[in-house]
Amino acid sequence: MYILVNHIVNDLVLIGNAKKIRKPKPWKHPQPITKSELEQMRDEFWDTAPHYGGQKEIWDALRAAAAEPDLSQAQVIVDCAGVIIQNTDLTICYDERGAKYELPRYVLSEPTNMIRDN
């Protein structure tokens, strides 16, 4: 399902939602963190994200897509919400009105140097 609307965003014309979500590239946190620390960082991000602009419904859809382990299901979520994907790992997206949504890597995947909680 594709949104057939033209968008001008940062001097780039996007037609529809032609990009497919892909698994984020491996990344390393500046210092090793535990799963519980990662979850705390994620919760803090999602709690404050809507205050930076955009629509709450889009933030909610992005949160659901980021938490979805099945990429095809995540794709359905963003497509149904009308999210326009700039970066296939979901780090930069837009809504139909041109509002920008930037997601940090830590909400999309785990770092390679994560310490397992006991």
Side-chain angles (χ1 to χ4, degrees):
M1 173 176 13
Y2 293 95
I3 309 302
L4 299 175
V5 179
N6 289 339
H7 299 273
I8 299 178
V9 181
N10 292 343
D11 300 324
L12 175 68
V13 177
L14 303 172
I15 301 175
N17 191 10
K19 293 189 179 178
K20 296 292 181 194
I21 297 173
R22 295 183 192 264
K23 185 177 178 180
K25 292 179 181 176
W27 63 280
K28 193 173 189 177
H29 194 271
Q31 62 226 11
I33 59 172
T34 64
K35 178 75 171 174
S36 57
E37 290 171 324
L38 179 64
E39 290 302 321
Q40 182 179 357
M41 289 170 57
R42 288 175 174 175
D43 289 343
E44 288 174 9
F45 173 79
W46 292 118
D47 287 346
T48 60
H51 300 291
Y52 295 106
Q55 301 175 64
K56 183 181 182 331
E57 296 79 15
I58 300 297
W59 284 114
D60 291 344
L62 289 170
R63 184 176 191 169
E68 178 56 59
D70 181 343
L71 293 181
S72 64
Q73 292 294 343
Q75 186 76 51
V76 169
I77 293 167
V78 296
D79 287 347
C80 288
V83 174
I84 299 155
I85 302 167
Q86 179 172 330
N87 293 355
T88 57
D89 64 1
L90 292 181
T91 53
I92 299 178
C93 301
Y94 294 90
D95 65 21
E96 295 174 332
R97 296 178 182 169
K100 186 176 185 179
Y101 300 80
E102 293 187 64
L103 304 182
R105 291 180 295 186
Y106 63 81
V107 301
L108 300 167
S109 64
E110 295 179 350
T112 57
N113 62 337
M114 192 165 74
I115 301 169
R116 301 291 169 196
D117 292 326
N118 291 334

